[in-house]
Amino acid sequence: AMHEGHIVSAPELTVLLQPLFTQNSRNLVLFMQDRLSIDDFTYFSESYGNKNPFQNEILQSSPSSLVLPAVDCKATRHLLSILQESGDWKLTNVTNLNVSQLELNASNPNLLLVQLQPLVSGLKEISTLEAIAENDKIIGRVTMDLQERGIHFSVIYTAARPSRISRRTDVVAELRRELMATEEEDSLSYPPLNVTTGNYTCILFYASNFSLKANSSVLIDLTNATFLTQNVDISASECLDSNATLSLKYTNPVNGISSLEIRFLMTNKLYEGSARKWSTLDSVEIVQDGEKFANFSVYAISAPAEYSFHCQLVGTSNLSPARLVPSNDEAKNWDVFISELQVQGFNIINNQFSYASDCTGFFTPGIWMGLVTSIILLWILTYGIHMIMQLTTNSRFDDPKGPALSVPQTE
């Protein structure tokens, strides 16, 4: 029993999971989602007028269960590493969501990792409620296949980060800066992908959401495969002084695509106008099944050679500050969405990102509107003061006892 407000730490989580490591049937299925909170089970229910997306009764039918309302993000972030270090598991990534074809040796411990589709996506093709319902169906299919095969197993359903962050209203005003710093630190839920040559890192790549959409219908979320499980081949990447190529190869990312390679081509050269070297991301290439080649031209992705590049949104959408523009007909069949992109291909020190050059300029639209409004108001004030200063009083006045005052036309 956990008291209200208690957050399970990584050491506590390891102790709570000990029964999984000591039981006879050591078959474990880990369902990993991008975001999940205990409040989701209440919010997405009939009580709020929704059709409850959680239809599986696996929790109620299980002989033993454990529900942890709040777990530290760092603990869930490294849950896969904790499980692997706790036993000699045979790790299997379930990509086709059909475990009936998997060859499982029940005498040895098996760890099945199922990456569920993300709940939050910039592509906005489905709602959060529909995504949860689809993930619930996936959980039901996988567990049903194992039960039909007579395999005893345990299930962990968790996520890399919470979908809701609760705040204490009495301390927000005092600790706003500290809270924002903590949230920014937690947003980096996994380390960046690094390409090494010899003993040093030559390319760093990070994104909070890395997704593609083929033919406007097939969603391919590569975030977890790239950064969390690192189920990606980067051996074809190249690092030179003048150019660098980040190659990401995926095997069976979704049904219907056997292989997918994404290349980021970067250059580093001297520009005489600024008298310094700049690193630029020149193009992005997508190769499907070794045949279909899509090429994108890249605009507004550059930084001084000593810096990294960061942008809140990069993709094919017209709303992206840094756009990927299709260069051939095949590229028109792809939509790319990368949020919180940070990349550096040159001059990496201590295996860390250098100072980031952001794609958002110093003068944002809000600043420009404020400046224009201020200039207009200042002009009105100046004009009003100028008109007031032009007002003069009469130098002579009419005396009713004397002759009438005559003012010549010249005055």
Side-chain angles (χ1 to χ4, degrees):
M2 301 295 174
H3 62 79
E4 181 182 2
H6 178 71
I7 299 178
V8 178
S9 61
E12 292 174 334
L13 181 62
T14 304
V15 174
L16 291 171
L17 296 179
Q18 282 301 319
L20 297 178
F21 312 139
T22 57
Q23 62 184 356
N24 295 328
S25 58
R26 295 178 59 188
N27 296 306
L28 180 62
V29 185
L30 175 59
F31 293 100
M32 181 63 70
Q33 206 165 264
D34 62 336
R35 301 171 186 266
L36 183 68
S37 293
I38 195 68
D39 294 339
D40 293 336
F41 293 90
T42 303
Y43 183 75
F44 297 107
S45 63
E46 292 89 347
S47 301
Y48 284 80
N50 300 316
K51 181 180 179 181
N52 189 4
F54 302 101
Q55 300 295 330
N56 283 319
E57 301 294 335
I58 185 172
L59 189 65
Q60 289 77 11
S61 61
S62 174
S64 62
S65 61
L66 174 66
V67 177
L68 302 176
V71 181
D72 189 4
C73 291
K74 296 179 180 179
T76 57
R77 189 181 310 161
H78 302 99
L79 178 59
L80 185 60
S81 300
I82 295 174
L83 294 175
Q84 289 179 308
E85 293 174 357
S86 302
D88 187 16
W89 301 90
K90 179 185 177 182
L91 178 62
T92 303
N93 288 283
V94 182
T95 56
N96 57 4
L97 304 177
N98 185 8
V99 297
S100 59
Q101 300 177 357
L102 294 178
E103 296 181 0
L104 298 179
N105 187 359
S107 61
N108 296 326
N110 296 284
L111 175 57
L112 305 180
L113 176 61
V114 181
Q115 295 288 348
L116 301 175
Q117 66 175 341
L119 302 186
V120 180
S121 174
L123 300 175
K124 303 296 184 185
E125 71 289 340
I126 57 176
S127 65
T128 303
L129 187 65
E130 293 173 345
I132 291 180
E134 183 62 28
N135 289 342
D136 188 70
K137 294 178 182 178
I138 293 173
I139 296 174
R141 288 200 301 266
V142 173
T143 55
M144 185 63 66
D145 286 342
L146 291 175
Q147 289 176 354
E148 291 178 352
R149 298 176 62 181
I151 298 176
H152 298 280
F153 61 92
S154 300
V155 171
I156 297 179
Y157 180 30
T158 186
R161 67 185 72 173
S163 58
R164 289 172 174 79
I165 300 177
S166 60
R167 295 184 178 180
R168 289 177 53 192
T169 57
D170 56 339
V171 298
V172 169
E174 299 177 351
L175 303 179
R176 180 173 297 274
R177 185 176 298 274
E178 288 78 6
L179 285 173
M180 292 177 65
T182 303
E183 290 176 15
E184 182 178 358
E185 179 181 356
D186 288 342
S187 65
L188 191 66
S189 58
Y190 34 72
L193 180 69
N194 63 80
V195 177
T196 59
T197 56
N199 296 326
Y200 69 94
T201 301
C202 61
I203 299 178
L204 287 174
F205 175 70
Y206 174 82
S208 62
N209 192 345
F210 184 24
S211 303
L212 307 177
K213 192 150 90 164
N215 300 319
S216 301
S217 59
V218 181
L219 174 65
I220 308 174
D221 191 333
L222 303 173
T223 309
N224 293 331
T226 306
F227 303 103
L228 191 61
T229 62
Q230 294 191 356
N231 188 21
V232 58
D233 181 11
I234 58 175
S235 58
S237 301
E238 297 179 352
C239 297
L240 299 175
D241 294 336
S242 58
N243 56 72
T245 300
L246 173 61
S247 174
L248 306 175
K249 294 182 180 179
Y250 306 89
T251 303
N252 296 322
V254 292
N255 291 332
I257 299 179
S258 59
S259 66
L260 186 67
E261 181 181 4
I262 304 173
R263 305 190 195 114
F264 296 85
L265 283 69
M266 296 171 282
T267 58
N268 180 29
K269 61 181 179 179
L270 176 67
Y271 288 83
E272 297 180 356
S274 59
R276 69 179 305 170
K277 287 187 175 182
W278 286 73
S279 63
T280 59
L281 178 60
D282 297 325
S283 62
V284 175
E285 300 173 352
I286 300 177
V287 182
Q288 177 186 344
D289 299 330
E291 299 177 355
K292 299 180 180 180
F293 176 81
N295 182 270
F296 298 86
S297 300
V298 182
Y299 293 93
I301 297 186
S302 62
E306 300 82 8
Y307 292 176
S308 64
F309 175 81
H310 174 267
C311 194
Q312 292 81 7
L313 184 61
V314 177
T316 53
S317 172
N318 294 329
L319 302 178
S320 303
R323 285 196 61 202
L324 305 181
V325 181
S327 300
N328 58 5
D329 293 335
E330 184 63 31
K332 297 178 181 179
N333 299 326
W334 290 91
D335 293 322
V336 183
F337 177 83
I338 308 176
S339 61
E340 295 299 333
L341 169 70
Q342 188 166 3
V343 62
Q344 184 174 356
F346 308 94
N347 303 316
I348 297 176
I349 301 175
N350 297 328
N351 299 331
Q352 295 180 348
F353 280 116
S354 302
Y355 179 83
S357 176
D358 201 276
C359 62
T360 303
F362 178 77
F363 287 96
T364 61
I367 295 178
W368 277 115
M369 291 184 63
L371 288 175
V372 171
T373 305
S374 300
I375 292 174
I376 294 176
L377 293 176
L378 183 61
W379 180 82
I380 295 175
L381 177 62
T382 304
Y383 179 77
I385 294 176
H386 175 73
M387 296 301 294
I388 292 176
M389 293 178 63
Q390 297 299 317
L391 296 177
T392 59
T393 58
N394 296 332
S395 58
R396 289 174 292 177
F397 298 92
D398 191 10
D399 186 3
K401 296 183 179 181
L405 180 64
S406 176
V407 179
Q409 291 289 336
T410 57
E411 298 186 8

